[in-house]
Amino acid sequence: MSSTQLDARRRAQIFAELESRTFDLAVIGGGITGAGIARDAAMRGLSVALVEARDYASGTSSRSSKMIHGGLRYLSQGDIALVKEAASERQVLRRIAPHLTRLSPFLIPTTNMAMTAKLRTGLWTFEKLGSVPEAEKHEVINLAELQRREPLMRTDRLNGAVLYPEFLTDDARLVLANIRSAQGAGAVVANHAAASDLTDDGLVAISSLGDNLGARIRARLVVNAAGAWVDAVRGLEAGEGDARLSLSRGIHLVLPRERLPINATIIIRAPDKRSIFAVPRGTFTYIGTTDVFHDGADYWPAPTRADIDYLLRATEAALDIDPIGDAEIVSLWSGVRPLIAQPGKKANEVSRKDEIWTSPGGLVSIAGGKLSAYRAMAERVVDLVVNRLGRTALPCSTADAPLPGGSRSVGDALSRLDPLAAERLAGLYGDEASEILIAGGDVAAEAARAVTHEGAARLEDYWVRRSARAWFDRGAGLAALAPAADAMGALLGWDDAARAAEIAHCRRINDESRRLLGE
């Protein structure tokens, strides 16, 4: 068993190993799909390489609504198989990563008895499909109980609500846990390593950090799990220039919890009949998401003013609050979803099913799917890989082996902390949280661990994805940039100019995300 410690100081050794070996499988893409595939394949005994052009989870996999949910709404679209898989996988993830599956009540307001009856039928089906434990089945509450539980709800057109449990997660940390587990099973993984070319016997990966590193990776089979960039990777192969994906943009807004003091995750019906979420998380509440077609696989897709107003006005219509001013928005994030193209459908109508394609040249590409079902999706891909390789492999064991941070209880280490601070650390690090406390428990301790154990090579990697401070910290976590840069720079050899450039890069990300806010 190899170490799960991703040390960003070992990049030269990692590229050398990528160059020197011949692998059974090379995976392009370090989002949740690629991470899940690499973990599964390595645990079955295959030799695996994984390269990610930017940072792990830096695309769609850190821009989700941060939910492990069963996709109840897909029942109405007839996607029974999708719902069954996602609903069942929730329980698997709860077992292997308890720190990354926080149970939270979801609340659907109802307007009449017919709506309540329809929801109950759907939830009964959902519970059957997902083997939901008896104690976690839905309940119906009347108007008085709804008003007691959620005093902010506008109830003049309501008759009550339906409550059912779902799970919230930290999407980027879930990806990281899978990447670390893959390495622990023997995979060789590299972030900031872009696949620049496909070859007859593998691919070429070039470092995007300006450190002159690169590798020609020889592999018997290549899987393209590049998310929104799947078509771009397919385009590296002659004759594969057609577009298979349809991209849609989703944004989320983060507000102080005292501004939206809700208790459950509230499902809000927007004027266009779509559902959006208002989600409590620590001292914050976030609202999202939009779902509109987006042209181009942008790393930081620019939100529109219409996106922002859509979320604000829908929230104000559902909750008895004063209008939300732009200056009250702590942070916002945007991302694109890589959906399988279905001409003629609206973005929110396009199926979330995954599809697998094999090119004449042998490249296997996968796109679509849901965060909730990533593990099962990876299992299907690796089944195909094993078959294509003609290998005898170990059975899939990803449904039972704990992910890093999820094998033991957090224990008493966090008991002396403020409850919200303890909840944050436990949610990020699980049973490894005590190691942060031993190292000082501050930003510097988190940032140093991000380098030595979590593969963070840029300040953005820590600020956005390892710590979630860019989204869920006062002032969008800008105060954390300097101490984090000091800690990371001391380990990575940044001079004053490099340190200043890293801070400026993060500030530009924040400024650009807020460009349309009136402040």
Side-chain angles (χ1 to χ4, degrees), residues 17-25 47-48 201 217-220:
E17 186 172 3
L18 289 170
E19 178 85 39
S20 67
R21 294 175 55 183
T22 297
F23 296 90
D24 292 320
L25 173 66
S47 56
V48 179
D201 61 351
I217 302 171
R218 288 176 292 278
R220 296 176 64 196

Side-chain angles (χ1 to χ4, degrees), residues 236-266:
L236 296 175
E237 190 174 34
E240 290 297 301
D242 63 313
R244 300 283 182 91
L245 297 188
S246 180
L247 305 179
S248 92
R249 182 179 66 251
I251 80 161
H252 295 77
L253 309 177
V254 182
L255 295 155
R257 181 80 171 270
E258 60 262 27
R259 187 62 173 86
L260 285 179
I262 57 176
N263 299 305
T265 293
I266 298 176

Side-chain angles (χ1 to χ4, degrees), residues 177-472:
N178 276 272
I179 291 285
R180 289 180 59 199
S181 180
Q183 178 175 287
V188 181
V189 301
N191 56 351
H192 302 286
S196 61
D197 194 17
L198 295 175
T199 63
D200 290 340
D201 61 351
L203 62 101
V204 175
I206 303 295
S207 172
S208 55
L209 294 182
D211 49 15
N212 297 315
L213 294 173
R216 180 180 176 125
I217 302 171
R218 288 176 292 278
R220 296 176 64 196
L221 191 63
V222 177
V223 168
N224 168 18
W229 295 270
V230 156
D231 280 341
V233 172
R234 289 178 58 248
L236 296 175
E237 190 174 34
E240 290 297 301
D242 63 313
R244 300 283 182 91
L245 297 188
S246 180
L247 305 179
S248 92
R249 182 179 66 251
I251 80 161
H252 295 77
L253 309 177
V254 182
L255 295 155
R257 181 80 171 270
E258 60 262 27
R259 187 62 173 86
L260 285 179
I262 57 176
N263 299 305
T265 293
I266 298 176
I267 299 175
I268 293 170
R269 189 86 156 167
D272 62 356
K273 309 304 182 188
R274 283 188 64 250
S275 293
I276 66 171
F277 300 97
V279 187
R281 173 167 164 158
T283 57
F284 302 96
T285 299
Y286 62 95
I287 54 176
T289 180
T290 56
D291 197 354
V292 293
F293 286 122
H294 186 83
D295 185 19
D298 299 327
Y299 178 49
W300 292 105
T304 65
R305 185 68 228 190
D307 290 337
I308 296 166
D309 289 340
Y310 174 86
L311 295 178
L312 292 179
R313 302 295 87 82
T315 303
E316 291 163 356
L319 302 177
D320 188 10
I321 56 174
D322 292 332
I324 298 167
D326 284 0
E328 297 178 281
I329 297 172
V330 175
S331 60
L332 64 149
W333 72 85
S334 61
V336 291
R337 304 174 187 84
L339 307 176
I340 309 303
Q342 292 181 278
K345 288 194 172 185
K346 296 178 181 178
N348 64 299
E349 295 172 343
V350 176
S351 172
R352 269 48 176 175
K353 289 178 181 176
D354 60 277
E355 286 191 12
I356 302 170
W357 313 296
T358 302
S359 74
L363 176 69
V364 176
S365 297
I366 179 164
K370 286 176 57 61
L371 175 68
S372 305
Y374 85 88
R375 193 211 60 81
M377 189 163 62
E379 184 176 349
R380 289 195 295 277
V381 174
V382 179
D383 285 345
L384 182 152
V385 167
V386 170
N387 183 263
R388 282 276 305 276
L389 292 175
R391 281 283 307 271
T392 299
L394 296 170
C396 177
S397 59
T398 55
D400 299 305
L403 287 166
S407 60
R408 305 184 305 274
S409 65
V410 176
D412 299 327
L414 305 181
S415 58
R416 62 183 175 84
L417 297 181
D418 168 85
L420 287 172
E423 179 185 334
R424 175 183 175 274
L425 282 181
L428 292 176
Y429 300 101
D431 58 39
E432 298 175 332
S434 60
E435 296 171 34
I436 297 292
L437 294 181
I438 291 169
D442 55 5
V443 167
E446 292 180 6
R449 185 176 180 84
V451 171
T452 61
H453 287 69
E454 299 172 348
R458 298 205 63 184
L459 183 58
E460 177 197 326
D461 300 347
Y462 164 73
W463 176 60
V464 176
R465 289 171 291 278
R466 303 303 184 277
S467 69
R469 289 187 183 276
W471 316 141
F472 301 107

Side-chain angles (χ1 to χ4, degrees), residues 86-267:
S88 301
E89 284 296 304
R90 297 180 319 150
Q91 302 300 334
V92 173
L93 286 176
R94 184 185 201 176
R95 184 168 63 248
I96 66 174
H99 60 304
L100 294 170
T101 46
R102 178 166 61 89
L103 197 64
S104 172
F106 277 42
L107 186 149
I108 308 177
T110 55
T111 55
N112 53 55
M113 293 301 292
M115 180 182 179
T116 302
K118 184 178 178 180
L119 274 173
R120 294 203 73 178
T121 300
L123 280 163
W124 181 85
T125 305
F126 171 80
E127 289 162 355
K128 283 285 188 184
L129 290 172
S131 302
V132 174
E134 191 66 37
E136 295 175 10
K137 292 187 176 178
H138 73 276
E139 64 173 310
V140 176
I141 59 175
N142 61 27
L143 193 59
E145 181 64 11
L146 171 61
Q147 291 167 331
R148 186 188 71 78
R149 293 191 187 210
E150 299 293 349
L152 289 184
M153 286 292 302
R154 296 185 189 274
T155 57
D156 47 310
R157 297 182 181 179
L158 303 179
N159 73 327
V162 175
L163 278 165
Y164 68 103
E166 287 278 26
F167 298 97
L168 302 177
T169 192
D170 185 301
D171 47 8
R173 299 290 304 190
L174 181 61
V175 174
L176 181 66
N178 276 272
I179 291 285
R180 289 180 59 199
S181 180
Q183 178 175 287
V188 181
V189 301
N191 56 351
H192 302 286
S196 61
D197 194 17
L198 295 175
T199 63
D200 290 340
D201 61 351
L203 62 101
V204 175
I206 303 295
S207 172
S208 55
L209 294 182
D211 49 15
N212 297 315
L213 294 173
R216 180 180 176 125
I217 302 171
R218 288 176 292 278
R220 296 176 64 196
L221 191 63
V222 177
V223 168
N224 168 18
W229 295 270
V230 156
D231 280 341
V233 172
R234 289 178 58 248
L236 296 175
E237 190 174 34
E240 290 297 301
D242 63 313
R244 300 283 182 91
L245 297 188
S246 180
L247 305 179
S248 92
R249 182 179 66 251
I251 80 161
H252 295 77
L253 309 177
V254 182
L255 295 155
R257 181 80 171 270
E258 60 262 27
R259 187 62 173 86
L260 285 179
I262 57 176
N263 299 305
T265 293
I266 298 176
I267 299 175

